[in-house]
Amino acid sequence: MFLSAIMVLCCISMTESNSCDISKEKSTISSMLQSIEKKMKEKCSTNSGNCPAGWKKYKDHCYSFSRLTKTWPAASGQCKNLGGYLVKITDSAENTWVVDMMKKSVNHRYGYWMGLADFNKEGDYRWMHDSSKITYSNWIPQLRGPHRYGQNEDCIHFYSGARYEWNDFPCTSDGMGYVCECSYGPNCRPFHG
């Protein structure tokens, strides 16, 4: 607003010395003021929802794709430190976008962790970020759901060996990247790993 007032005063002082058509000068000043206000609004609205360094925007959330591998608990902790959580997939469009981004990122041996697990009750998979049940899934078709080689496969990942379809895996496995999600850009901290 301060900048706009200065611009108006400058325009008035310039127009006083060069012209006597007040209506024309008012129109010019009004047009300049509208242009300045429009640019300021665009700048402010763009900056408020942007994702910081290391994050990619999809719809109204920010996502980061790790270059490093971690266990599920370590990955979850890293996402929390960055102001987010391990990714929560809500529909097929989001899943497709996340998978496309993973394919453009580092190809980790086992894929990437997500925020889905069944820690509380075997087979009752919940998004750890908010404890909600899954409403969309993309399990490996041959398995028609999580497979069980033992009771220690509580964490879900996008399995790179099966087109990044979902699979359960031991949470302590370390050959896995991870995807963090942050629901509000200004809360996300820059991500470098």
Side-chain angles (χ1 to χ4, degrees), residues 58-70:
Y58 175 73
K59 294 191 177 177
D60 56 350
H61 289 199
C62 299
Y63 300 78
S64 63
F65 300 83
S66 69
R67 293 186 304 263
L68 305 174
T69 61
K70 294 190 180 296

Side-chain angles (χ1 to χ4, degrees), residues 51-52 54-58 61-65 97 101 105:
C51 299
W55 296 80
K56 297 181 185 312
K57 187 172 179 94
Y58 175 73
H61 289 199
C62 299
Y63 300 78
S64 63
F65 300 83
W97 182 83
M101 293 296 107
S105 298

Side-chain angles (χ1 to χ4, degrees), residues 19 35 118 128 134 160 177:
S19 176
S35 176
D118 69 345
M128 294 295 106
I134 57 175
S160 58

Side-chain angles (χ1 to χ4, degrees), residues 15 19-31:
T15 57
S19 176
C20 292
D21 188 353
I22 293 175
S23 63
K24 182 180 177 185
E25 297 306 325
K26 281 183 178 180
S27 175
T28 301
I29 291 169
S30 177
S31 176

Side-chain angles (χ1 to χ4, degrees), residues 31-190:
S31 176
M32 290 174 72
L33 185 57
Q34 288 174 353
S35 176
I36 291 169
E37 286 180 19
K38 180 181 175 186
K39 287 180 182 178
M40 289 178 74
K41 284 180 183 177
E42 287 173 359
K43 182 179 179 183
C44 291
S45 67
T46 301
N47 288 342
S48 66
N50 277 350
C51 299
W55 296 80
K56 297 181 185 312
K57 187 172 179 94
Y58 175 73
K59 294 191 177 177
D60 56 350
H61 289 199
C62 299
Y63 300 78
S64 63
F65 300 83
S66 69
R67 293 186 304 263
L68 305 174
T69 61
K70 294 190 180 296
T71 64
W72 192 97
S76 179
Q78 177 66 14
C79 290
K80 285 178 185 170
N81 289 339
L82 295 169
Y85 46 90
L86 280 173
V87 68
K88 174 184 176 182
I89 302 295
T90 57
D91 59 37
S92 64
E94 181 183 23
N95 189 75
T96 298
W97 182 83
V98 167
V99 167
D100 287 346
M101 293 296 107
M102 284 186 288
K103 288 177 179 178
K104 294 174 184 174
S105 298
V106 176
N107 184 15
H108 295 294
R109 181 176 178 191
Y110 298 113
Y112 288 78
W113 291 121
M114 65 174 74
L116 188 62
D118 69 345
F119 294 132
N120 296 326
K121 181 182 175 189
E122 192 65 33
D124 182 21
Y125 288 93
R126 302 279 179 152
W127 294 106
M128 294 295 106
H129 165 64
D130 60 8
S131 299
S132 63
K133 289 187 174 208
I134 57 175
T135 56
Y136 165 82
S137 65
N138 190 35
W139 300 109
I140 296 172
Q142 300 87 328
L143 303 174
R144 295 189 191 105
H147 73 289
R148 289 281 165 208
Y149 288 123
Q151 298 299 314
N152 295 328
E153 295 185 343
D154 293 325
C155 296
I156 307 304
H157 69 117
F158 298 92
Y159 185 30
S160 58
R163 300 179 312 272
Y164 293 96
E165 293 166 325
W166 301 9
N167 182 50
D168 56 346
F169 213 68
C171 303
T172 55
S173 297
D174 194 17
M176 200 83 65
Y178 54 98
V179 181
C180 297
E181 180 176 359
C182 187
S183 56
Y184 181 60
N187 288 346
C188 310
R189 290 185 266 303

